[in-house]
Amino acid sequence: MGSGEENSLFETRKDKARHIRRLYAVSLSVAICFVWAFRLTHIPAKGEAGKWAWLGLFVAEVWGGIYWIFYQALRWNMVYRTTFPNRLTPRYESRFPGVDIFVFTADAVVEPPMMVINTVLSVMAYDYPAEKLSVYLSDDGGSDVTFYALLQASSFAKHWIPFCKRFKVEPRSPAAYFNTVASTKSEDHNYVKHLATIHKLYEEMKRRVEEATKLGVPSEARSKHKGFSQWDSYSSPRDHDTILQILMHKKESEGSKDVDGCTLPTLVYMAREKRPHYHTNFKAGAINALLRVSSTISNGKIILFLDCDMYSTHSKSVKDALCFFMDEDKGQEIAYVQFPQCFHNIGKNDLYANAISDIVQVELHGFDGFGGPLFIGTCCYLRRDALWWKKFSREYKNDWNDQNENEVTEVNLHELEEESKALANCSYEKNTLWGKKIGSIYGCLVEDVITGLQMHAHGWKSVYYNPSISAFSGVAPTSLLHTLVQLKRWGEGHMQLTLSKFRPKWYGDQKINICLLLGYWHHNFFAITSLSVLYYSIIPSLYILKGVSLFPKISSLWCIPFICVTVGEIAYSLIEGLSMGGSIQGWWNGTRMWLYVKTSSFLFSLIDGILGFFGHPNSSYSLTSKVIDDDVAQRYKKEVMEFGTSSPYFTVLATLALLNLFCLLLTLKDLVLQKGTFAAEKMTLQVLLCGVLVVINIPLYQAIFVRKDKGRMPTSVSIKSTAVAFTACVFFKLFN
C-alpha cells in the first residue's frame, strides 16, 4: 500500500515465502481432489456395511476442503508494514491531530480497578502532545470503586507522567514497569531516587484502591469529591442515571497540571445511563455513547479503542499509527490501523493456545494483503470520519488543520459535563441511525467485525501493523473453561454475522476484494466446521468395532492422497509454528486446543447461532474474568490443564475422549484374543486416526483417572461421560 517513495511515512513488503506457500496450497489442493475422487469411486454397494458413514465422511471432507481454501486465501498474499516516525515528527508535529482514547470496562469484580487504571495511566503517558490527548474510561458497571480508582490515578499521574518522560520509561503501565525493574540495578543515583519515590506513591495508591475494592469507597473521599454525588440516584449496574465527570481538562487552570507545571491529558469518566427496559447493546452501545460524548469534549480526529486489560507497552505507538493516517499518498483512504493483541502471561508452550499466533502473525497479514484486516475491537486506531459512516471517495482529503477540536472545548466545564450527559442517555438513540448507519453496528456479538466490514463496504481500507516491539499487552485466560467460553462467544458472533443481513457478500459497488471475502468466510464459518470435526472424531472410531473400513488399504495407491494431506498439513503447521517462535510442545498444545475448540466451543456456537436465527436466542455477552485464583495460577505455570468445574464443555470433551479410548481398547482386546475378523491392512489408517485422538487426549484421561488436585475432572462429569461413551460403544458393537 505504501507509495514506495523516499518521503513516504510507511512502506509495504510482500511475504518472502509467498511462492512456497502458494506451491504448497496448489499441491495439497490436488491431493484433496484425489481424496474426493476416492470417496466418489469407492462408495459401498447397496446393502454393504458402512455406506451411510462413507457418504457422511465424503460430505465432511468436501466441506473441510472448501473451508481449507478459505484458510489458504489468507496465506496467499501476506504483506508486512514498516513505519517511519522519524519522518513524521518534523513534517507534521505542529499539525498532529487530536487523539481520543476509549478504555472500556464493564465489571469491577472480574476486571479489577487496579488493572483498569494501570491501562489508563499507560496511555495517559504516551509520547504525544498532552493538549491533543484525551482519555475516556467507559465503565459499563457504573462502579463507584472504579471511579474512586480513577480519581487516585489522576493524582498519581501528576507524578508518573513527568517521571516517564524524564527517564524515557517503557512500558508506561506502572505495574508492568515496576515488575520489569524489580530485578535490575542502575548506577544513575538521580533515577534511583526518583524511582523509589514514585514506587512508594504507587504502592500507597494501590493500597487505597484495594482497600476500597474490599471495603467500599471511604466516606472521607465521598465528601471531598463532588463526583460521588452522582451515585445518589444509583440503584444497580442496570439501573442508574448517566454518570459523567471530567477529571482533567486542558482548559482547567490548576487541576490539569503535573508537578513540573506541564499540561496533562484530558481525563473523563463515563457510566452511560442504564434502565432495565432498554437494551444496552453491550460494548457497541458503550462505544456509540463515547463517540457522542467525546465529540463535545475533545472531538479528536483519531480514536484508539482499548480494552481495560490491554495496557500500552510502547509509548510511541500512536505515532506509528499516524504514519499510516497522515501519509500523503495513501493515508486518506485508511479507516483504521489494527495492532495485534499480545499477552504477557502466556507460558513458553502456550498451554491453551491463547496467543492465537496463526491469527496474529499470519492471517491478519493475509487480510492486509487484500484490503485490510478485521476490526477486532481493541488495540485499534480509527478515523472518526469513518465511524460517522462517511463513504470514502477519491475526493476525500486529510485535513489536519481543522480547528474544530479546539473550538468545542471553549466552554464552562460544568456546562460541558451536563451537555455531554444527555448524549449518553438510554433514549438518545431512539428513532436515530445510531447502531445502524452511525457508529458501531448493533445486532451481533462480534459488532467490531461487522463495523469493520461495513467500513470496507463503504470503500475504506484498513492496515495491520505488527511492530517488532509490541504496542499493547494484556491478560490471557488461565483456565481451559474461560478459553472455551471466550471462543464460543467469538464463534457464535461470527455465526450470527453469517446469518445476518451484514454477512460478507458481493456488494453492489464491488468494493470488497473476493479474496478478502474468503478471509471473512474463513472466520464466519468457524462454527460450521465443528460438524466435520465432530463426525471425524466419532464415526471412524466406532466403525473400527465392526471391522468396517472407511479408508483405503495401506497398500493401495489411494492411500497416498490421504497421507499427503495429513503429513502435509502436520508438517506445514509445525514449520509455521516454529517459524513464529513457538516450540514443538506449543504446537502440540495448539493441535489439542484446535480439537477441543472445534468439538465444544464451536459446536455450542453453532447451536446457539441457529436457535437465534429461528427466534430463540440463547446468547449473552459474558466477560472473561481477569481475577486468577492462586491454585489455578500455580497449575497454569506448571502447564497443567484446568478442568475442576462441571460444564457442558467438559462433558462433551470427556465423552468424545473416552469414546475413542474405549474403541481403541476394545479393538486391541480383540486383536490380542484374536477374536473377529480384523483386517489390519484395510483398517490401519482408521486405527491410526483413533490412536492419534487418544494421544491428544492424554491430559483429559489424567484429569479423569489419575489426578487428585482441585483441577481434576469433577466426578459427576467423569461418571456421566464414561456411562455415555461406554454405552455408545457397546450398543454400536452389539446391535448396529
Side-chain angles (χ1 to χ4, degrees):
M1 186 179 286
S3 62
E5 299 176 1
E6 290 185 0
N7 65 343
S8 177
L9 297 178
F10 71 94
E11 71 173 7
T12 303
R13 306 183 314 279
K14 289 186 176 292
D15 176 28
K16 293 180 180 178
R18 64 186 181 280
H19 298 302
I20 297 175
R21 294 181 191 274
R22 292 174 182 181
L23 178 62
Y24 161 77
V26 172
S27 301
L28 215 69
S29 295
V30 173
I32 290 172
C33 289
F34 274 105
V35 169
W36 295 347
F38 169 76
R39 288 290 175 207
L40 288 174
T41 56
H42 291 73
I43 299 175
K46 186 177 181 180
E48 193 174 343
K51 180 177 180 179
W52 291 109
W54 186 282
L55 294 175
L57 282 178
F58 175 60
V59 172
E61 288 161 354
V62 167
W63 172 245
I66 294 172
Y67 186 75
W68 185 83
I69 293 173
F70 303 157
Y71 172 80
Q72 289 303 313
L74 295 175
R75 287 157 170 76
W76 193 261
N77 191 42
M78 294 163 55
V79 298
Y80 299 86
R81 312 283 186 177
T82 302
T83 60
F84 303 109
N86 59 314
R87 300 176 185 174
L88 173 76
T89 300
R91 197 181 308 173
Y92 282 112
E93 187 168 20
S94 62
R95 291 189 289 155
F96 278 160
V99 176
D100 291 347
I101 300 175
F102 295 175
V103 180
F104 298 94
T105 184
D107 190 324
V109 175
V110 299
E111 296 172 336
M114 273 308 301
M115 179 186 70
V116 175
I117 62 173
N118 268 283
T119 297
V120 169
L121 287 165
S122 73
V123 292
M124 286 184 71
Y126 264 153
D127 182 11
Y128 198 73
E131 66 276 7
K132 296 189 176 184
L133 195 64
S134 302
V135 181
Y136 296 80
L137 177 62
S138 170
D139 179 15
D140 252 14
S143 168
D144 57 349
V145 176
T146 300
F147 177 69
Y148 174 77
L150 193 64
L151 272 175
Q152 296 296 316
S154 67
S155 297
F156 177 71
K158 297 176 182 180
H159 302 271
W160 175 247
I161 293 177
F163 174 77
C164 290
K165 293 181 177 179
R166 183 179 297 120
F167 298 106
K168 300 186 184 306
V169 164
E170 297 289 354
R172 296 191 175 182
S173 158
Y177 180 70
F178 293 136
N179 286 336
T180 302
V181 300
S183 59
T184 60
K185 295 182 179 180
S186 174
E187 296 181 359
D188 185 340
H189 297 294
N190 186 38
Y191 165 74
V192 172
K193 177 183 176 181
H194 280 83
L195 176 63
T197 302
I198 201 72
H199 196 183
K200 181 181 178 181
L201 289 173
Y202 175 76
E203 290 299 325
E204 290 174 353
M205 176 185 70
K206 181 179 178 182
R207 176 184 56 77
R208 290 192 295 269
V209 172
E210 290 183 344
E211 284 181 358
T213 302
K214 295 177 182 177
L215 306 174
V217 178
S219 56
E220 181 183 356
R222 290 185 183 276
S223 61
K224 278 186 177 181
H225 198 282
K226 62 175 183 174
F228 287 105
S229 64
Q230 298 180 74
W231 269 268
D232 291 345
S233 61
Y234 182 90
S235 298
S236 72
R238 296 178 179 273
D239 189 7
H240 60 80
D241 295 336
T242 298
I243 303 171
L244 191 143
Q245 186 73 42
I246 301 176
L247 301 178
M248 291 180 176
H249 196 283
K250 62 184 178 183
K251 294 295 180 181
E252 188 181 8
S253 57
E254 298 180 1
S256 295
K257 302 287 186 181
D258 64 27
V259 292
D260 291 342
C262 299
T263 300
L264 287 168
T266 295
L267 180 63
V268 180
Y269 173 91
M270 185 198 78
R272 58 189 170 125
E273 183 186 20
K274 294 281 190 70
R275 299 301 176 198
H277 52 283
Y278 278 95
H279 196 306
T280 64
N281 291 302
F282 308 118
K283 184 178 176 181
I287 288 172
N288 289 342
L290 265 188
L291 278 174
R292 296 189 294 270
V293 167
S294 65
S295 69
T296 67
I297 297 175
S298 54
N299 201 34
K301 292 181 182 296
I302 304 299
I303 301 172
L304 168 62
F305 285 9
L306 207 57
D307 286 344
C308 64
D309 64 323
M310 297 298 299
Y311 64 86
S312 169
T313 54
H314 191 216
S315 64
K316 297 183 184 295
S317 70
V318 61
K319 293 181 180 178
D320 285 326
L322 290 182
C323 284
F324 295 103
F325 290 117
M326 304 184 79
D327 183 76
E328 293 87 346
D329 184 25
K330 296 291 185 180
Q332 73 276 3
E333 66 182 9
I334 296 173
Y336 59 90
V337 179
Q338 180 66 64
F339 284 74
Q341 281 184 285
C342 301
F343 304 98
H344 62 259
N345 65 328
I346 291 179
K348 177 184 176 182
N349 297 316
D350 194 5
L351 181 62
Y352 300 125
N354 284 320
I356 50 175
S357 298
D358 54 336
I359 295 177
V360 167
Q361 299 196 46
V362 178
E363 292 181 7
L364 288 174
H365 286 290
F367 272 109
D368 204 3
F370 293 118
L374 299 164
F375 170 37
I376 60 177
T378 187
C379 308
C380 187
Y381 291 86
L382 297 98
R383 187 188 298 271
R384 188 181 286 267
D385 280 354
L387 280 169
W388 289 119
W389 293 114
K390 293 183 179 180
K391 291 190 176 183
F392 174 75
S393 66
R394 291 297 167 188
E395 289 71 37
Y396 181 90
K397 295 295 180 183
N398 287 328
D399 182 10
W400 307 114
N401 295 312
D402 190 353
Q403 297 301 311
N404 288 339
E405 296 171 7
N406 296 324
E407 292 175 2
V408 296
T409 61
E410 296 176 0
V411 293
N412 178 277
L413 289 185
H414 176 71
E415 293 178 357
L416 184 56
E417 286 177 348
E418 294 304 313
E419 177 187 350
S420 301
K421 284 182 182 181
L423 302 177
N425 289 346
C426 290
S427 58
Y428 183 88
E429 295 181 354
K430 188 176 181 180
N431 299 322
T432 71
L433 295 178
W434 281 98
K436 301 172 185 175
K437 293 186 178 180
I438 304 176
S440 186
I441 302 299
Y442 298 156
C444 183
L445 288 175
V446 287
E447 75 288 328
D448 42 11
V449 177
I450 291 182
T451 302
L453 175 62
Q454 291 294 86
M455 289 183 194
H456 288 150
H458 286 162
W460 293 96
K461 300 213 184 296
S462 57
V463 163
Y464 179 59
Y465 183 54
N466 189 0
S468 56
I469 301 175
S470 63
F472 304 98
S473 182
V475 181
T478 56
S479 75
L480 178 59
L481 183 60
H482 285 161
T483 298
L484 295 178
V485 169
Q486 179 172 283
L487 291 172
K488 185 261 184 184
R489 185 173 72 240
W490 292 355
E492 184 181 355
H494 281 283
M495 189 67 191
Q496 290 175 347
L497 177 53
T498 301
L499 299 174
S500 75
K501 63 181 180 180
F502 301 109
R503 60 187 176 275
K505 56 189 176 184
W506 284 103
Y507 286 85
D509 51 16
Q510 297 186 358
K511 289 182 178 178
I512 298 184
N513 186 296
I514 178 60
C515 291
L516 186 59
L517 288 179
L518 293 179
Y520 272 105
W521 290 341
H522 166 64
H523 284 258
N524 290 352
F525 294 144
F526 273 159
I528 298 176
T529 59
S530 64
L531 297 178
S532 296
V533 177
L534 198 64
Y535 193 89
Y536 241 84
S537 301
I538 297 174
I539 299 303
S541 297
L542 286 176
Y543 271 85
I544 294 175
L545 300 176
K546 302 293 288 184
V548 175
S549 174
L550 300 175
F551 296 92
K553 296 179 180 179
I554 194 66
S555 59
S556 170
L557 291 177
W558 284 110
C559 191
I560 295 176
F562 284 89
I563 294 175
C564 287
V565 170
T566 304
V567 174
E569 267 295 273
I570 290 174
Y572 181 85
S573 64
L574 178 58
I575 292 171
E576 189 173 78
L578 295 176
S579 68
M580 293 186 293
S583 63
I584 294 178
Q585 181 61 47
W587 166 80
W588 184 247
N589 289 340
T591 302
R592 180 185 301 112
M593 284 303 300
W594 176 88
L595 178 66
Y596 286 1
V597 170
K598 296 285 185 181
T599 54
S600 62
S601 299
F602 290 166
L603 176 63
F604 290 118
S605 298
L606 179 63
I607 293 171
D608 285 349
I610 293 174
L611 288 175
F613 180 73
F614 287 105
H616 302 284
N618 189 36
S619 59
S620 62
Y621 191 92
S622 56
L623 293 171
T624 301
S625 177
K626 308 303 186 298
V627 180
I628 306 171
D629 293 336
D630 290 339
D631 56 341
V632 173
Q634 289 301 315
R635 285 191 288 273
Y636 180 69
K637 287 181 180 179
K638 295 176 182 177
E639 298 188 348
V640 177
M641 295 197 88
E642 187 73 26
F643 295 96
T645 305
S646 295
S647 166
Y649 296 87
F650 294 159
T651 301
V652 171
L653 294 180
T655 302
L656 291 174
L658 291 169
L659 184 143
N660 280 282
L661 178 64
F662 294 156
C663 287
L664 186 63
L665 292 177
L666 288 171
T667 300
L668 293 177
K669 176 184 74 70
D670 288 348
L671 279 173
V672 170
L673 299 177
Q674 296 184 341
K675 287 185 178 181
T677 56
F678 185 84
E681 186 182 13
K682 71 176 184 177
M683 300 298 294
T684 299
L685 291 183
Q686 218 157 312
V687 174
L688 282 175
L689 172 61
C690 184
V692 168
L693 291 172
V694 168
V695 173
I696 284 177
N697 282 306
I698 285 176
L700 226 162
Y701 303 136
Q702 292 173 336
I704 295 174
F705 300 118
V706 180
R707 288 169 55 183
K708 302 299 181 183
D709 57 74
K710 292 182 179 179
R712 68 186 183 277
M713 187 68 73
T715 304
S716 59
V717 174
S718 299
I719 293 173
K720 188 190 310 179
S721 299
T722 301
V724 173
F726 188 74
T727 301
C729 291
V730 171
F731 181 85
F732 192 86
K733 185 173 179 64
L734 298 179
F735 303 108
N736 188 277

